[in-house]
Amino acid sequence: DTAVSQTPKYLVTQMGNDKSIKCEQNLGHDTMYWYKQDSKKFLKIMFSYNNKELIINETVPNRFSPKSPDKAHLNLHINSLELGDSAVYFCASSRREGGTDTQYFGPGTRLTVL
Amino acid sequence: GIQVEQSPPDLILQEGANSTLRCNFSDSVNNLQWFHQNPWGQLINLFYIPSGTKQNGRLSATTVATERYSLLYISSSQTTDSGVYFCAPAGGDSSYKLIFGSGTRLLVRP
């Protein structure tokens, strides 16, 4: 009965590889987000989708590409991984339509690029 | 964009003590949320509080939007309160684009 889930929880890979992180929410929310938390715990939004439409696209390298197949899923694909991509990536969701935008976070995916 | 400043950056308490965490923000907001990141990394939403006061058990929060600050009160602290507390406001046309402060790292000692 997990509200926001992410897979995998840990990801260790070599520079130059391509990897994906998946996120699913069963809260019936209409908006989903990807955040990046760096080694100093600083949290920054990367992308957001509302009803499968991209509504936030921060200054993120175009090696990062989100994809929302439906309202309950938001995936993050990263091409040509670099050392600086090492971080914890969090997915979150909220209800904008008729809601307060209270955001609920997944457990995070710790990405380590070697 | 909105600038967010949290204080203090670090706080050590003895179990049972009370504390107040502060969040100052640089612009008008229509959304403000407080989060707790526990030592295992999980982010828990504590409050949605763009204005006014709310209470949830030993925690309460107050946002004075006109003066651009929010406060989080922790009473009778417990070791499980340890972790990092983040304030995240949003405003203008981007009420869903939360801007996270750098956090207050709290350690509660038994």
Side-chain angles (χ1 to χ4, degrees), chain B residues 7-91:
Chain B
S7 60
D10 295 281
L11 185 60
I12 300 176
L13 297 175
Q14 207 63 33
E15 199 168 28
N18 303 326
S19 63
T20 301
L21 281 56
R22 187 175 180 102
C23 172
N24 291 333
F25 41 91
S26 61
D27 210 342
S28 59
V29 300
N30 47 27
N31 186 350
L32 189 144
Q33 301 183 34
W34 281 96
F35 295 86
H36 174 220
Q37 186 166 37
N38 65 26
W40 296 270
Q42 179 67 45
L43 277 157
I44 306 296
N45 191 297
L46 299 176
F47 294 102
Y48 167 83
I49 188 162
S51 64
T53 298
K54 288 186 178 178
Q55 180 155 7
N56 184 1
R58 296 181 296 102
L59 302 182
S60 64
T62 294
T63 297
V64 184
T66 52
E67 297 188 20
R68 299 183 182 171
Y69 72 88
S70 183
L71 303 174
L72 179 70
Y73 305 94
I74 305 174
S75 64
S76 304
S77 59
Q78 300 177 358
T79 56
T80 51
D81 295 331
S82 296
V84 183
Y85 290 81
F86 291 102
C87 165

Side-chain angles (χ1 to χ4, degrees), chain A residues 36-62:
Chain A
K36 179 180 180 180
Q37 186 172 46
D38 63 22
S39 58
K40 296 184 178 178
K41 298 282 192 182
F42 181 65
L43 263 164
K44 191 175 190 310
I45 191 165
M46 301 171 68
F47 302 103
S48 178
Y49 274 77
N50 173 251
N51 288 320
K52 297 171 55 181
E53 179 186 349
L54 182 65
I55 56 173
I56 295 176
N57 186 356
E58 290 297 280
T59 308
V60 176
N62 57 16

